Amino acid sequence: MAFDFGRGREGEDFGPPPPPFRIRRQRSPFAAFGDYNRWVFLGVALLLLYIVLNTAKGLYVDWLWFEGAGYRSVYSKMLTTRLWLFFGGAGLFLVYFGFNAYIAARSVLRLRPAAFADFDAAALRRLYLLGLIAGSLFLAIIFGTIASSEWMTVLQYLNRQSFGVEDPQFGRDVSFFVFTLPALDFAQDWLLGVAVMTTLVCAALYLSRFLLIGVRPEEERPSKAHLCFLLIVVVGLFIWRYWLSTFELSFSENGPVFGATYADVKARLPFIWVSAAMAVITIGALAFAVFTRGVVVPMAAMGAWVVVAVIGTVVYPAFVQRFSVQPNELELERPYIQRNIEMTRSAFGLDAIEERQFPAAPEVTPQEIAQNPETIQNIRLLDVRPLLQTYAQIQTIRPLYEFRDVDIDRYTIDGQRRQVLIAARELSPGRLPPTAQTWVNRRLQFTHGYGVVMSPVNEVVQEGLPELFMRDIPVVGKLPLTRPEIYYGEEPDHYVIVKTRAKEFDYPIGEGSAESVFEGEGGVQLSSLFRRLIFAWEFGDVNIAISDSLTDESRLLWRRNIKQRVQTLAPFLRLDKDPYIVVADGRLYWIQDAYTATSRYPYSTPVANLPAENQLNGANYVRNSVKVVIDAYDGTTTFYIADETDAMIQTYAKTFPRLFTSLDRMPASLRAHLRYPEDLFLAQVNVYRTYHIKEANALYNREDIWSVPNEVFEGGEVPVQPYYVIMRIPGEAEPEFALILPLVPARRSNTIAWVAARSDGANYGKLLAFRFPTDTLVFGPRQVESRIDQDAQISAQFSLWERAGSRVIRGNLLMIPIGNGNLYVEPIYLRAETSQLPELKRVVIVNGNRIAMEPTLDRALEVIFGRAAPTAPTADAGAGPPSAAPTPGTPGVPAATATPRPATTPGNVADLARQAEEAFARAQAALRNGDLATYQQEINRAQELVQQIARQVGQ
């Protein structure tokens, strides 16, 4: 008979026991949760509401920005894809994870745990269920976010276009590796993450159940079957990974070249399939374990699988490499090296380089100089680095302006095509005095820069300062500029508000200033209080909401930095580090070169060791497929397709059909200023240094690798940078604008070739490589720098300047191919120790064995060819160049000139003998230092001087 504490045998009610014997019911440790749950739920709800509203605010603000930029459809495609992936990913995770987690937790949800018999079991179950739901939602958000972050990978896959090139190992179009394989990798990784997370959580739930209520025989087999099923899914996804990893061998770095080589194909690839077969056996063992009590069979299968994977990944390939490949490496690797050569040259466009022979005559003749007047007229004497400091000193006008960069371009001025240097005068509000750093000044009044400064590359005024084709504020000069304001540029990184009641500072006039009002349509119109509140929240600036200066017509401009603007509109493009300003049709435009690039091109070696700011580092395929034009006034941004044949830009154009425009629609006034981009040229030359080699044996032996030469700057050696020139390319009829760079053999200093990228008309984008004779020694830039350093007269002149309180700055050493030879030109600047204003004072020319340092290029050429006497050195820097070519000591001759060593300039016997003695001394010094090139050069020089002495004695 059951005993009831509250009643007797016959059901008589005795009442509650007396207090000493009354046992209070133990309170659940979770009971206190009920006292505060409404506050907890309120706090969680408010937090979730803030997250939702903040996310919605960000989406709305971006929507308005894209609409203001004219690309709402682009953002719509981006946003729609991300939302579909987020909700699709989160939903798929919830279905799989939630269903399996419920199966693992249902016994706990249905049973009263014995260990908590005295607690509130219902509250415990509710808490258990709440934690399970909250954890599932939290993980679903994480996996949904991960899925949405791959929106571009999915769009590329859905809109992929063919490259028309098959990889040599698997016979698949390159688009499979660039577009399809990344999407499959993402899908496999994401699904594997879901499967592993679900398996771990379910295992933890089963473990917690066993700890709480023990092991029930009737539930042991279903639990085991469930876990085996989950493990089968995980192993199945590993099998998929094995299939994908076969294609990843195309990016292997294990062999002598990039891509799958002998050990990859003959050892790793077979063992990938063996490992996949072991995974299939493991699936069978897991299925067998469902119907048996033990776990020995699946554990043994998994152990065997791991052993095979280790052997196939590490041991066997290492064995094959050591005992099969190394003794016969060239023979076995030759076909794979040849694959690497062909695919790398294709990926970087090197297979389109036209290679020509260049005679590299010992010197440029006077006749060749006369036949190339446009080249001589446009030799760049003004170096970008000192010129930027000069512009900052003479053309900022007011301290709040700044020149960030100097660009090189060409314009038709006074009927002649001139190479020029041009810089935008941008506004930097941070330069305002601290007392003027008010919100109204920074956001409403000081909103834009003003105009540009332009100089010809080869002209200076009497004081050694650059001639100015465009200058001052308001802008005056040789080109019309009706809209000089710069609201968008390289400097702006903050928002401004225009069309307000506060007039904008336009430019200074005496002690006051001219004012203007923005007349464009860019930005976002603050047409309502709601928008003002939204942007006040977005920028954390309450002034946007409360300022009386704003009206319904006011427009907020942000993302005004042109790189940030382009990257936001097209995040899948890589950008050149140097956008440049262009004057066209009375307005200012920025041209930003953009690249389609990937590291997924099979067998192509990635480019490396580029400057850190070059976004092409690590890419193994690149095309300059897009030219982006940004109006500096209203921010109108247009993406022009420059390479219709590129499969990547075809894919992006199909994905975003309203983003891109054909290059044929670019105005002719802008097309005339397109130039081959420097970042791409550097990347191609970096690869071409090795992959000018087209034969596997030569590449394997590394017997003909080239390097970029060095030059002297600021007392140290730096790599020569590519430079733009107007020149008549050998074999061509007309001068053209080109980007060139000399190359030298690895670990040597003599020039072996020079590479040119053409930028004009129908020849735009074509690459030329001029290779020098292998039996002729052609001095490289560093050797020419050494010759300049070793010139007794020039070095003495530098010392005089330094002692006089000036700092000598050597500009870029330019190797200018003219006719059949090379002319070397280096500008020399002086900067006083108490000044930041460098002045061009001399021009050094090296032509064969002849060196001259003169105030002007024309005079230096006259001295080089013996038509004028060299000027005499002096410690005073002088006032400027002479108007004619006077003899030393003549009034008007600028001080601080150097006496060169012209090989054919007549002189007395004693002077020639002294020069010959000096040449022999330098030759002996070079011989002691092991510099055979300089030794031979000085010996030849001495012999030439001796011959001159003989001729004069004979006369």
Side-chain angles (χ1 to χ4, degrees), residues 544-769:
I544 299 176
I546 65 176
S547 175
D548 293 333
S549 298
L550 275 58
T551 70
D552 290 345
E553 298 299 319
S554 298
R555 307 186 78 88
L556 191 147
L557 312 180
W558 88 102
R559 290 176 182 151
R560 298 187 300 130
N561 180 283
I562 53 179
K563 282 190 175 182
Q564 181 190 21
R565 187 174 186 82
V566 173
Q567 203 74 79
T568 304
L569 289 169
F572 42 83
L573 297 177
R574 304 192 192 187
L575 306 183
D576 191 88
K577 73 175 186 301
D578 186 25
Y580 56 100
I581 193 85
V582 170
V583 182
D585 303 323
R587 298 177 72 94
L588 295 175
Y589 298 91
W590 294 97
I591 296 182
Q592 170 70 69
D593 284 286
Y595 307 110
T596 50
T598 181
S599 58
R600 307 286 300 177
Y601 202 93
Y603 274 98
S604 174
T605 300
V607 63
N609 301 319
L610 296 176
E613 65 273 15
N614 192 322
Q615 294 188 9
L616 299 180
N617 264 312
N620 68 353
Y621 170 90
V622 60
R623 292 292 185 273
N624 176 214
S625 297
V626 181
K627 302 285 186 178
V628 189
V629 176
I630 306 99
D631 190 309
Y633 182 73
D634 62 17
T636 299
T637 306
T638 309
F639 293 78
Y640 294 99
I641 297 180
D643 186 353
E644 301 276 358
T645 65
D646 174 36
M648 294 191 73
I649 198 59
Q650 292 173 8
T651 298
Y652 297 145
K654 184 180 178 183
T655 305
F656 304 105
R658 297 187 180 180
L659 179 62
F660 297 100
T661 302
S662 172
L663 190 63
D664 295 335
R665 301 181 62 181
M666 179 183 287
S669 57
L670 289 174
R671 291 198 67 172
H673 294 282
L674 296 182
R675 68 184 195 184
Y676 203 90
E678 186 176 329
D679 278 0
L680 173 62
F681 187 68
L682 273 175
Q684 290 177 308
V685 169
N686 187 288
V687 177
Y688 185 69
R689 294 186 303 107
T690 300
Y691 287 91
H692 68 274
I693 301 172
K694 303 175 185 177
E695 199 275 326
N697 285 26
L699 183 65
Y700 176 82
N701 294 325
R702 303 275 167 171
E703 60 189 26
D704 192 23
I705 307 300
W706 297 346
S707 297
V708 175
N710 288 336
E711 64 175 338
V712 175
F713 181 75
E714 295 286 348
E717 291 192 16
V718 296
V720 173
Q721 295 299 310
Y723 46 93
Y724 293 96
V725 295
I726 290 180
M727 60 176 292
R728 185 163 61 85
I729 292 177
E732 303 297 329
E734 299 294 331
E736 55 187 281
F737 190 65
L739 180 63
I740 70 173
L741 183 67
L743 295 172
V744 299
R747 297 178 298 278
R748 295 178 62 189
S749 299
N750 58 291
T751 306
I752 193 69
W754 59 273
V755 183
R758 307 170 76 173
S759 295
D760 285 345
N763 290 322
Y764 177 86
K766 294 182 179 179
L767 294 176
L768 297 171

Side-chain angles (χ1 to χ4, degrees), residues 214-287:
V215 180
R216 296 176 182 270
E218 65 274 14
E219 295 181 352
E220 180 181 356
R221 176 164 292 180
S223 301
K224 182 180 178 182
H226 185 209
L227 289 175
C228 286
F229 166 77
L230 295 176
L231 288 172
I232 286 173
V233 172
V234 171
V235 176
L237 289 170
F238 268 103
I239 295 175
W240 188 11
R241 165 51 56 195
Y242 281 127
W243 179 71
L244 295 176
S245 66
T246 61
F247 302 106
E248 296 291 341
L249 290 177
S250 294
F251 313 113
S252 171
E253 299 182 44
N254 296 312
V257 292
F258 187 86
T261 51
Y262 185 88
D264 296 312
V265 174
K266 302 300 183 181
R268 289 185 177 86
L269 183 58
F271 260 91
I272 287 176
W273 295 118
V274 172
S275 297
M278 293 302 300
V280 173
I281 293 173
T282 301
I283 288 178
L286 289 169

Side-chain angles (χ1 to χ4, degrees), residues 1 15 45 58 150 232 258 298 450 499 510 530 620 637 644 742 760 764 782 793 909:
M1 182 185 343
E150 295 293 331
I232 286 173
F258 187 86
Y450 198 94
K499 292 189 177 181
F530 175 73
N620 68 353
T637 306
E644 301 276 358
D760 285 345
Y764 177 86
R782 188 63 191 91
Q793 311 302 333
V909 173

Side-chain angles (χ1 to χ4, degrees), residues 257-258 336-344 603 605 691:
V257 292
F258 187 86
Y336 305 104
I337 296 174
Q338 197 63 45
R339 292 177 178 181
N340 172 260
I341 293 173
E342 294 170 2
M343 296 298 281
T344 301
Y603 274 98
T605 300
Y691 287 91

Side-chain angles (χ1 to χ4, degrees), residues 410-427:
R410 68 282 197 201
Y411 289 81
T412 300
I413 295 177
D414 296 334
Q416 292 185 325
R417 196 179 194 212
R418 301 296 300 274
Q419 187 176 357
V420 301
L421 294 152
I422 182 171
R425 186 186 291 106
E426 300 194 56
L427 185 137

